[in-house]
Structures are given as structure tokens and as C-alpha cells.
Amino acid sequence: MGFPAASARAFQYGLGIFTLTALIGLVNATKIIGNLDQNTLLTHLHSGTLGWITMGVFGIAIALFAREGVRAPAVTLSALATAAYVIAFWSGNFFARALFGTIMLATIFGWWAWVVYRSNTEGFSKLSNPKFAMLLGLTTLVIGSTVGVIIQIQFALNAVSDQTGNLIGTHASAQVGGYLILVATGIIEWLLLGERRTTGGLVQSVLLFLAGIALALGQLLGITPLLLVTNVLQVVATVMVVVRLGPAVMKTAWGAASGMRHEAIVPLYLVIGVVLVVALVQQIIAAQGDIGRVPPGLIHSLDHTFFVGVMTNALFGAILAATQDRPRIWPWADHLIFWGLNVGVLSFTAVLVFVGSSTGAAAFSHPVSYTAPIMGLAALLGIATLSMRLSSAPAAQRAASPA
Ligand code: HEM
Ligand code: HEM
């Protein structure tokens, strides 16, 4: 399993931007400066989903598709485009958001086109399960991001209508319910089982792709049966993940400081995530499609189950695998990162479901103030440790260089 230098660079940029996500998260959890405005919350959201997760996904795409000296798209330019869009969110300027959102979409389109080109060169009928999942995941990302830019242009032109609300729901559903789940299942399968092509793996990815599209279309057109179709497809696909990866998960050494335990815990979050999606769809139906009447704690719980439980574990595990041959700087940190991140995200998301959102609460008055920081501090420790390991030279290179 090779990780080219460009993958490591994509991971480094991703970790850098994730620092901002975690810091805003900590301020939001403790409420030390009160409640955050919408611009800062959108910065927290998109620095996490684009800056951290999507830069990390680009790093994985390079590792999967750019072997044997094939050139990958420009990582540094992609990171700059991402950082510019994140800053545009913070600025609150709708024109800047429309402009840099369009540049971000073009960047994403470039990566998708490259993955399609590489898949075609390799032969679509020969793609391994992880590559197929990545291809379908990035396809959904292009669809979801196009909807994102349409929303952004509506805001810039002051052309907001009822339809804008539906489009925001459509965007979020495609990105979280389609893109993230697909790429995550691809990454964990690659690291736990390796690259194989099996009927089970292909069917699982097709079901997840259809589930994401059905969820997004259901939101766009307000068609309730489509939301129920999503639930069925996702439940079946999640059972397939558990059955297919179960034996590898059972063999995991949970006390060993490798990336494998970060991958092996992801199916747990996929199961929790699917239960929360089913609950969300029931709530949307009960609220007759009015998402504003759905408890925000449930939505925020679902968000962090996927963003941190699923994706941050999958990417931290991949970076640990990528730095296996490098000096293990701060070896004591591995256990704190793994247990802190997971105890933190599980307790935080449970509080969001059972107690509710902390929005509007005073400083340190809500259990979120005591659970989310465990996750946030573990994430910051992970960022520092993994960044240092990524920037140190591999053992083979150090042995070859003169003392
Ligand atoms: C080019 C890429 C993207 C663009 C142009 C974009 C644009 C937007 C816009 C305009 C909004 C609405 C903001 C508002 O309420 O004022 C939004 C919200 C959101 N986006 Fe994105 N986004 C992108 C990528 C992503 C990705 C990759 C994810 C997740 C993996 C994501 C998840 C979300 C979520 C969860 C919301 C919140 C929806 C809600 O308020 O219920 N976005 N995005
Ligand atoms: C990839 C990483 C992450 C993403 C994409 C993300 C996304 C989000 C989103 C979409 C919201 C809802 C914002 C709203 O009110 O509209 C939110 C809220 C929040 N986030 Fe994150 N987040 C991430 C990581 C973190 C981390 C590491 C922390 C660490 C402390 C954190 C702490 C919080 C807190 C405390 C809230 C408020 C929850 C509530 O009480 O309802 N997040 N986040």
C-alpha cells in the first residue's frame, strides 16, 4: 500500500485547516465568548467538510489512483482554493462566497474528472471495491457541490425563495448521506481488507450511491416515499458493511497503536449514523417536511457522527498507515488521540440526542461544554502529532542521506 508524497501533502493541508474547525468547535462548546454567529458556524462546517475531509479524500484518491508515476492534480492549488472559500464563508460576503464557491466547484470537478479518466484507463469493469466507492463518492460530491453553488448564487443575486431552503436540504443530504458514506466505506475497506473486486462490494457501493441520490431528490422535490427508500437502501448497505468487514473488525487489536483501530471503529458509527438518519426521516415526515421543526440536536448529532466518528477516524487511520515508516514522534499521543476522539464524539453526540443542542446556552452550563472538548482536544493532539510525523523523512530516505 503506497502513499505518494502528494498524498502526504494533501493530508498536511487538511490537518492545517482542521485546526480552525477544532478551535471554533471548542469556543462553541464552552461558549466562552457567547453564541457564535452564522458566518462562524458555516466556517466551522466547511473548514471541516472541505478543508479537512475533502483535502484528506483527495490525498486518498492520489494513493489509490496515482501509482506508477502518474501525475495527480495540483494539491497546493486545491488547498488554496479551499482555504479561500473557507475565508469567504467567514467574511459573510455573498459575492465572495459565490465566486470562491464556483472556484471550489471547479477544483472538485477537476479531481472527479481525473478519477474518471484514471478509472477509464484502468477499465471500469476492473476497478477494485475501494476505487469504485471513491468514483461514486466523488460523483455525488460534484452533484452536491453544484447544488451548493446554485444556493450561493441565489444568495448573491438576492433571489432567495422557499426553493432555497429545499436546495440547502438537498445539498446537505447529497454531501453527508451520499458522498461521505461512500468514500468512508471505500477507505476502511481498502485499509482493512486491501484492494479486491467482489460482487458484494460493488452492490454495497451502488446501494449507497442510490441512497444518497434518493435522499437528495426526496429533499428537493418533497417526495416522502423517496426518503423511506433511502432508509431501506442505507439499512441494507450498512448490514452489508458489517457482514463484509465484520471478521476483520473482530480481529482488531484495540490496544495496539496503529491506524487499524481507527478504521475498525468506523462501522460502529455507520450503524449509529443510519439509526440517526432513520430517526431524522421520521421527524421530517412528522414535521410535514418542515426541517425547521426537527430538533437541531438530532441534526448536529448526525453531523458529528459522520464528520468525526466516520471521517476523522478513517482519515487519522489512513495518515497513521501513511507514516508507518517514519519516526513515531510523540508515541504516547496515539492512545490519547484514539480514546479521546472516540469517547469524546460518543458522549457529545449522545448529549445532543438526549439533552439537545447547546445553542443559546450560557458558558459551561450545558453538558456539551464538558463532552465536546474531549473530542476537540483529542483532535488538536491528533493534528499536531500527525503533522509532525508527516513532515519527517521516511526511514529509508534517512538511512540513504549522509549523516
Ligand atoms: C463546492 C462545495 C460546496 C459549496 C459551494 C457549498 C455551499 C453551501 C451553502 C451555500 C450552504 C448554505 C449556507 C447558508 O445556510 O447560508 C451550505 C450548507 C451546508 N453544507 Fe455546503 N458547500 C460545499 C461543500 C460541502 C461539503 C463537502 C459538505 C459535506 C460533506 C457540505 C455540507 C453542508 C451542510 C451539512 C450544510 C448545512 C445545511 C443546513 O443548514 O441544514 N457542504 N453549503
Ligand atoms: C470535520 C469536522 C467537523 C464538522 C464538519 C463540524 C460541523 C458542525 C456543524 C454542521 C454544526 C452545526 C452548526 C449550526 O449550529 O448550524 C456544528 C456544531 C458544533 N460543533 Fe462541529 N464539526 C466538526 C468538528 C467539531 C469538533 C472537532 C468540535 C470540537 C469541540 C466541534 C464542536 C461543535 C459544537 C460544540 C457544536 C454545537 C453543537 C450543539 O450544541 O448543537 N465540532 N459542527
Side-chain angles (χ1 to χ4, degrees):
M1 185 182 306
F3 282 91
S7 282
R9 222 156 0 100
F11 293 148
Q12 278 171 313
Y13 286 126
L15 287 167
I17 303 180
F18 192 30
T19 313
L20 178 64
T21 317
L23 290 177
I24 298 177
L26 282 171
V27 173
N28 196 14
T30 50
K31 307 272 187 279
I32 42 173
I33 54 166
N35 283 280
L36 300 178
D37 63 26
Q38 184 66 3
N39 294 337
T40 312
L41 290 173
L42 286 171
T43 306
H44 174 67
L45 199 186
H46 288 93
S47 61
T49 56
L50 288 168
W52 163 230
I53 294 173
T54 303
M55 279 311 295
V57 168
F58 292 162
I60 303 281
I62 298 170
L64 279 171
F65 288 95
R67 298 198 199 135
E68 295 108 35
V70 174
R71 271 179 72 90
V75 168
T76 304
L77 273 181
S78 305
L80 281 175
T82 310
Y85 189 35
V86 171
I87 294 168
F89 265 117
W90 219 347
S91 76
N93 183 308
F94 287 133
F95 292 103
R97 285 188 191 173
L99 173 67
F100 289 107
T102 308
I103 295 173
M104 186 73 237
L105 174 62
T107 307
I108 287 172
F109 186 83
W111 281 89
W112 171 79
W114 177 73
V115 164
V116 171
Y117 165 73
R118 293 291 305 144
S119 303
N120 186 35
T121 311
E122 205 170 304
F124 286 104
S125 58
K126 291 195 202 124
L127 288 185
S128 64
N129 296 338
K131 283 182 177 153
F132 187 61
M134 180 63 80
L135 173 66
L136 291 186
L138 289 179
T139 305
T140 317
L141 175 65
V142 169
I143 299 170
S145 302
T146 306
V147 176
V149 169
I150 294 171
I151 303 164
Q152 212 67 101
I153 290 172
Q154 289 191 342
F155 278 126
L157 298 179
N158 216 352
V160 176
S161 65
D162 284 350
Q163 188 214 31
T164 313
N166 288 346
L167 286 174
I168 294 179
T170 308
H171 166 71
S173 306
Q175 306 291 51
V176 183
Y179 160 58
L180 285 194
I181 305 189
L182 271 161
V183 293
T185 50
I187 298 171
I188 60 170
E189 170 150 355
W190 178 43
L191 290 162
L192 289 174
L193 302 182
E195 277 205 63
R196 300 176 316 159
R197 180 184 169 86
T198 60
T199 309
L202 301 180
V203 170
Q204 175 191 304
S205 289
V206 170
L207 292 180
L208 287 174
F209 179 70
L210 294 176
I213 300 291
L215 185 61
L217 275 180
Q219 293 273 332
L220 182 66
L221 309 171
I223 305 176
T224 309
L226 273 181
L227 300 180
L228 296 170
V229 168
T230 306
N231 283 172
V232 174
L233 292 172
Q234 271 179 347
V235 169
V236 174
T238 308
V239 170
M240 289 184 78
V241 173
V242 171
V243 170
R244 296 183 53 254
L245 301 188
V249 171
M250 296 308 281
K251 276 193 245 146
T252 306
W254 296 102
S258 81
M260 289 312 120
R261 56 183 175 172
H262 281 282
E263 306 301 334
I265 202 163
V266 170
L268 169 71
Y269 292 104
L270 288 174
V271 172
I272 297 175
V274 132
V275 171
L276 292 175
V277 171
V278 172
L280 178 66
V281 167
Q282 302 316 314
Q283 294 274 352
I284 293 176
I285 293 171
Q288 288 168 340
D290 181 359
I291 194 96
R293 280 170 45 209
V294 173
L298 176 62
I299 299 176
H300 299 172
S301 177
L302 187 74
D303 286 341
H304 292 87
T305 299
F306 284 114
F307 299 147
V308 180
V310 171
M311 281 312 298
T312 302
N313 268 308
L315 290 174
F316 274 7
I319 299 176
L320 282 167
T323 51
Q324 248 169 4
D325 61 345
R326 299 173 192 224
R328 216 173 126 225
I329 299 167
W330 289 5
W332 50 268
D334 293 62
H335 293 307
L336 280 177
I337 297 166
F338 178 76
W339 295 111
L341 193 74
N342 288 295
V343 169
V345 70
L346 285 170
S347 53
F348 171 46
T349 50
V351 163
L352 287 174
V353 170
F354 297 111
V355 182
S357 168
S358 68
T359 308
F364 292 104
S365 67
H366 191 285
V368 156
S369 301
Y370 302 94
T371 48
I374 306 173
M375 171 180 89
L377 292 173
L380 285 176
L381 183 61
I383 292 167
T385 309
L386 298 177
S387 299
M388 284 191 293
R389 293 190 193 167
L390 281 166
S391 53
S392 63
Q397 216 167 304
R398 275 176 300 119
S401 61

